[in-house]
Every structure is written in structure tokens, then in C-alpha cells.
């Protein structure tokens, strides 16, 4: 049976359930893209209004418009594109200094363009030195030091940022990341709990997700499940959010608990065959990891039957 599974399960998992693979993006990943032209939305059509006919152009319209990316082709154009993107990501971080995707891309592009991050450190160190209230600069510099392995130095700047804006959740999230890297789980949990008290809307979902995952890593499944249920409610009972706890457990190689959690989700969606298919697929993955070949095949056949019934 195991040999048979080794040959057919990749195809079964990829194609037989008749549904696209589930990709769950964090809010920060989903909102940042390199090459989206100004005015274009990720979902398709442009929402840019056509220019007015006649009348005066409003002041500052051209000045604040993002620079268009130079056309591809040649080293000079590639360098010009990198410089435009660097400015874009710097602007993103000035307004949202906790944006991890923007920071990652900034570091990648900066290394490509300058060969070193030293000028970037110097830029923000100078701003911090010149302005005691430079919140964004402290946040960015703290994250730069953390990413560079100098976590304790980074933590100092992040704490200063939290003092400058005591009602802002972003510094607490950053402090939690730094404390986790230093192995201080208690401080990390405290920082996330503080961030949760300060958060609203989409920010609250991000904090709930981070807190749930930390609690799982610390072995507190009961409290993690409570935070997960808050996240599900905040997401208007999204199926994909419901799946996250089982996926997170599987990611920690806790496949038995993952199967139990996914069985909970199955009971919640028992009247919706289409919703059951992705849950069954995730369950089969954990059953395979547990060596439960017969259970995995049974689960996949069930998913296939539901898919065929839905398409008939």
C-alpha cells in the first residue's frame, strides 16, 4: 500500500479533488507586490480616474504620484527599476514600518543595487540621532538590526518606538518577534497580548494569528484554539481561516492533533460538499504523514466523490 501511495498521492493531492490548492497569505504578504503598476488593483481592472477635461490640474498631483517602472532590458534599466522599487518600499515602510514583506524586498533590492546594507543603516541611524520622536525610523532600524542578527540592539530601538507611540500595536508585534528570537517566550507572549489590546480590524486579525501560532509552539493548544476561534469570528467564519489551525499543527509535525482539528472543521461544514473537499485534502496530508495509508486513501476517495457529485 505504501508503494502505491508513493506513486499516486502526488497526483491525487494535486488534481483529483478538483479544487485549487489553498494558499493562505498574511495580510502583510497579500497587500504588497513589486510590479503592480500605479493605479492597478491585484484583482484586475484599473480604478484610475480619467484625466479631467479642461480646468486646472490640482496642485501636487504629479509630485505625489508613484514613479513608473522603467522598461526591462539592459543593466542600466534594471538598476533604474531597482531604485524606483527601493523608493516605493521605503515609502511603504515610512507609513507602515511593521510591514515585513516590504522590509524583505527592500533588503533584497538594496543589496542588489548597493552591494551592502551599510548606507541603509546609516540613513536611519542618522534620523534617529537627529529626532527623538522619529517613530518610523526607530521601527525600521530596530527591524534592520533584528534581521541582521543584532537582536538586542534592535529590541532597544523597538522599545523606544513603543514609548513614542504607546497606543500603536506594531511596535509590540516587532518586540514579540525579537523576544522570540532571543528565546524569551514569556516576554514575546506579553508583547502580543499587549498588541491585541491595542488592535482593531485587520490589525487585530494579524495579532490573533501571531498569538495563536506562538501559543501552539509553546504547547498551549487550548488557549491557541480560543484565539483561533476569535480569529475565525473576525474573518466572518472564513473556511480558509478555519483551516489554519489544522495546517499550523501539521506544520509543527503534530499530525494527530491536526487530524482531530480538521475533523472538527468537517463537522461544521457537513452540509456543504464543496467546503468539505479542501478540508479532506488537508486531512489526507496529515494521515499520510502519520503513515495511515488506508485512512488517507479513504479520505481522498471521499473528496473525489464530493468533487464529482458537485460537477455532475
Amino acid at each position: 500500500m505504501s508503494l502505491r501511495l508513493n506513486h499516486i498521492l502526488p497526483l491525487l493531492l494535486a488534481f483529483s479533488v478538483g479544487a485549487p490548492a489553498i494558499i493562505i497569505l498574511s495580510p502583510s504578504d497579500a497587500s504588497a507586490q513589486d510590479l503592480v503598476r500605479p493605479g492597478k488593483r491585484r484583482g484586475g481592472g484599473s480604478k484610475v480616474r480619467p484625466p479631467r477635461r479642461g480646468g486646472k490640474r490640482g496642485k501636487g498631483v504629479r509630485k505625489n504620484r508613484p514613479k513608473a517602472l522603467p522598461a526591462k532590458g539592459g543593466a542600466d534599466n534594471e538598476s533604474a527599476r531597482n531604485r524606483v522599487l527601493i523608493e516605493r518600499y521605503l515609502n511603504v515602510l515610512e507609513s507602515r514600518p511593521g510591514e515585513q514583506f516590504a522590509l524583505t524586498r527592500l533588503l533584497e533590492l538594496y543589496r542588489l543595487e548597493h552591494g551592502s546594507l551599510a548606507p541603509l543603516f546609516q540613513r536611519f541611524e542618522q534620523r534617529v540621532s537627529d529626532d527623538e520622536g522619529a517613530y518610523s525610523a526607530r521601527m525600521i532600524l530596530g527591524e534592520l538590526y533584528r534581521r541582521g542578527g543584532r537582536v538586542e540592539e534592535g529590541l532597544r530601538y523597538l522599545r523606544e518606538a513603543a514609548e513614542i507611540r504607546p497606543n500603536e500595536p506594531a511596535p509590540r508585534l516587532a518586540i514579540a518577534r525579537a523576544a522570540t528570537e532571543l528565546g524569551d517566550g514569556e516576554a514575546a507572549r506579553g508583547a502580543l497580548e499587549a498588541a491585541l489590546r491595542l488592535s482593531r480590524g485587520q490589525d487585530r486579525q494579524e495579532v490573533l494569528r501571531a498569538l495563536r501560532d506562538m501559543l501552539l509552539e509553546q504547547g498551549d493548544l487550548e488557549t491557541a484554539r480560543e484565539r483561533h476561534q476569535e480569529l475565525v469570528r473576525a474573518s466572518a467564519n472564513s473556511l480558509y481561516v478555519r483551516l489554519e489551525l489544522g495546517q499550523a499543527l501539521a506544520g509543527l509535525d503534530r499530525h494527530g492533533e491536526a487530524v482531530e482539528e480538521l475533523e472538527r472543521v468537517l463537522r461544521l461544514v457537513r452540509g456543504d460538499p464543496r467546503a468539505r473537499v479542501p478540508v479532506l485534502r488537508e486531512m489526507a496530508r496529515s494521515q499520510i504523514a502519520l503513515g495511515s495509508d488506508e485512512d488517507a486513501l479513504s479520505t481522498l476517495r471521499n473528496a473525489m466523490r464530493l468533487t464529482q457529485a458537485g460537477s455532475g
Side-chain angles (χ1 to χ4, degrees):
M1 182 63 70
S2 294
L3 183 61
R4 183 183 175 195
L5 278 170
N6 287 337
H7 283 83
I8 69 171
L9 278 174
L11 289 174
L12 282 170
L13 290 170
F15 304 114
S16 66
V17 296
I22 296 170
I23 301 174
I24 297 176
L25 298 175
S26 68
S28 58
D29 287 343
S31 63
Q33 292 189 27
D34 279 1
L35 301 178
V36 175
R37 302 290 182 182
K40 287 286 187 179
R41 299 170 63 188
R42 286 172 51 241
S46 170
K47 284 292 182 180
V48 177
R49 294 181 181 177
R52 298 178 182 175
R53 297 183 181 274
K56 294 183 179 180
R57 185 186 299 275
K59 292 183 179 180
V61 172
R62 284 190 177 275
K63 182 177 179 181
N64 295 328
R65 184 178 297 163
K67 294 179 181 178
L69 290 172
K72 289 185 177 181
D76 289 343
N77 279 343
E78 188 64 27
S79 179
R81 289 169 64 84
N82 288 344
R83 289 195 298 271
V84 170
L85 289 170
I86 284 170
E87 287 304 314
R88 285 193 188 181
Y89 285 119
L90 284 169
N91 289 335
V92 169
L93 289 168
E94 286 292 343
S95 60
R96 301 195 301 277
E99 182 72 61
Q100 293 300 295
F101 179 86
L103 179 62
T104 297
R105 290 295 293 134
L106 174 65
L107 298 183
E108 292 170 353
L109 292 163
Y110 214 89
R111 286 192 183 97
L112 281 174
E113 187 62 22
H114 300 282
S116 168
L117 297 179
L120 194 61
F121 276 88
Q122 292 166 4
R123 171 178 181 153
F124 289 106
E125 284 169 346
Q126 187 62 52
R127 284 183 53 192
V128 166
S129 176
D130 292 343
D131 184 357
E132 293 182 356
Y135 165 76
S136 292
R138 281 174 168 78
M139 280 287 293
I140 295 167
L141 189 57
E143 288 287 79
L144 287 175
Y145 274 118
R146 182 182 69 82
R147 295 284 190 101
R150 296 161 66 179
V151 183
E152 291 183 352
E153 290 181 70
L155 191 55
R156 176 167 65 88
Y157 289 111
L158 296 173
R159 285 172 174 157
E160 290 177 4
E163 290 175 3
I164 292 169
R165 294 197 183 176
N167 295 322
E168 187 71 38
R172 275 77 185 177
L173 270 172
I175 288 169
R177 283 190 289 267
T180 298
E181 291 185 19
L182 292 172
D184 192 344
E186 184 176 347
R189 183 168 176 170
L192 284 175
E193 294 282 4
L196 188 62
R197 290 191 293 271
L198 297 170
S199 299
R200 299 290 183 274
Q202 193 68 40
D203 287 342
R204 183 173 179 82
Q205 291 187 44
E206 181 182 357
V207 177
L208 281 168
R209 185 173 280 108
L211 184 55
R212 176 204 63 199
D213 292 346
M214 175 177 291
L215 290 165
L216 284 179
E217 291 180 5
Q218 293 177 352
D220 189 350
L221 178 58
E222 182 178 350
T223 310
R225 185 174 284 122
E226 291 174 3
R227 295 306 188 190
H228 178 70
Q229 291 307 317
E230 288 183 57
L231 179 60
V232 169
R233 289 192 294 272
S235 70
N237 296 315
S238 163
L239 171 65
Y240 300 109
V241 175
R242 287 189 188 279
L243 282 172
E244 286 184 21
L245 182 55
Q247 291 172 322
L249 286 164
L252 295 171
D253 291 329
R254 294 163 61 176
H255 293 285
E257 291 168 304
V259 170
E260 291 177 6
E261 181 58 34
L262 292 165
E263 286 173 342
R264 291 172 185 260
V265 179
L266 273 179
R267 289 193 292 272
L268 290 171
V269 297
R270 67 167 61 91
D272 186 347
R274 292 188 64 183
R276 291 173 65 86
V277 171
V279 184
L280 289 166
R281 182 172 59 235
E282 295 298 323
M283 184 181 296
R285 289 191 174 111
S286 283
Q287 289 168 333
I288 294 165
L290 290 168
S292 302
D293 294 355
E294 291 287 353
D295 290 341
L297 276 177
S298 175
T299 298
L300 286 167
R301 288 185 182 121
N302 191 5
M304 288 164 47
R305 283 193 295 270
L306 290 171
T307 302
Q308 291 163 359
S311 61

